[in-house]
Amino acid sequence: MATFRLEIVTAERMVFSEDVSAVIAWGVEGQLGILPHHAPLMTMLQSGDLMIRKDKEEEYLAISGGFLEVRPDKVIILADACERADEIDIARAEEAKKRAQETMKAAPLGVDAAAAEAALRRSLARLKAAEKRRRRPHPLV
Ligand code: ATP
């Protein structure tokens, strides 16, 4: 099966560096699928869950915004924050979601509303990635 190198990097660490056969991320205009030999591309990513396919396995991660670049030799994602599904603290993400929703409800047009909306998106991305992992705990056969 054709593969390409995928690197996912944050300011803090290299989160992922492996050969994969597909990645599906949330670009600013919607979901974006990258397969081997994709044309060069640079796009912004919004916060969301990210799916990676390796052979018959699927892996999920949460991305908190960033950039995706398709280069001839590899695909690089520079993320503001990124966690593999098994690193996600679900209780913390639930708390963050609750906090963001309360802020948005208390002052929907207030100065904190945009930040709360961004925090809500991050928490939902984490919850979604963790949930997808739970639903598919074993490699596909
Ligand atoms: P919180 O309010 O819980 O801190 P946040 O969305 O503000 O959430 P970020 O600023 O995006 O957090 O991330 C700060 C650091 O904490 C990053 O290294 C990120 O990977 C990590 N992180 C945030 N939330 C979680 C989580 N639920 N599980 C694991 N790591 C997390």
Side-chain angles (χ1 to χ4, degrees), residues 12-13 64 80-83 87-96 99 118-119 122-123 126:
E12 291 162 2
R13 64 185 177 126
S64 302
D80 295 337
C82 176
E83 305 85 38
E87 297 173 327
I88 293 169
D89 178 338
I90 295 174
R92 176 174 167 182
E94 290 283 8
E95 270 303 309
R99 255 193 333 269
R122 294 196 297 275
S123 67
R126 288 172 178 133

Side-chain angles (χ1 to χ4, degrees), residues 33-110:
I34 307 289
L35 295 170
H37 313 300
H38 195 289
L41 170 82
M42 173 84 149
T43 187
M44 272 177 80
L45 296 180
Q46 49 176 317
S47 297
D49 55 307
L50 183 103
M51 193 274 276
I52 292 168
R53 180 165 293 140
K54 296 182 286 181
D55 292 327
K56 289 172 180 157
E57 267 178 66
E58 286 179 3
E59 175 164 353
Y60 295 93
L61 297 93
I63 295 276
S64 302
F67 289 92
L68 179 149
E69 184 180 6
V70 181
R71 294 189 187 176
D73 57 331
K74 59 186 170 186
V75 173
I76 300 179
I77 293 177
L78 293 174
D80 295 337
C82 176
E83 305 85 38
R84 288 183 184 243
D86 62 2
E87 297 173 327
I88 293 169
D89 178 338
I90 295 174
R92 176 174 167 182
E94 290 283 8
E95 270 303 309
K97 176 182 164 190
K98 209 168 117 197
R99 255 193 333 269
Q101 284 174 329
E102 281 165 5
T103 303
M104 289 167 71
K105 199 169 155 197
L109 301 176

Side-chain angles (χ1 to χ4, degrees), residues 20-31:
V20 307
S21 50
V23 57
I24 298 179
W26 285 96
V28 277
E29 286 166 20
Q31 266 190 323

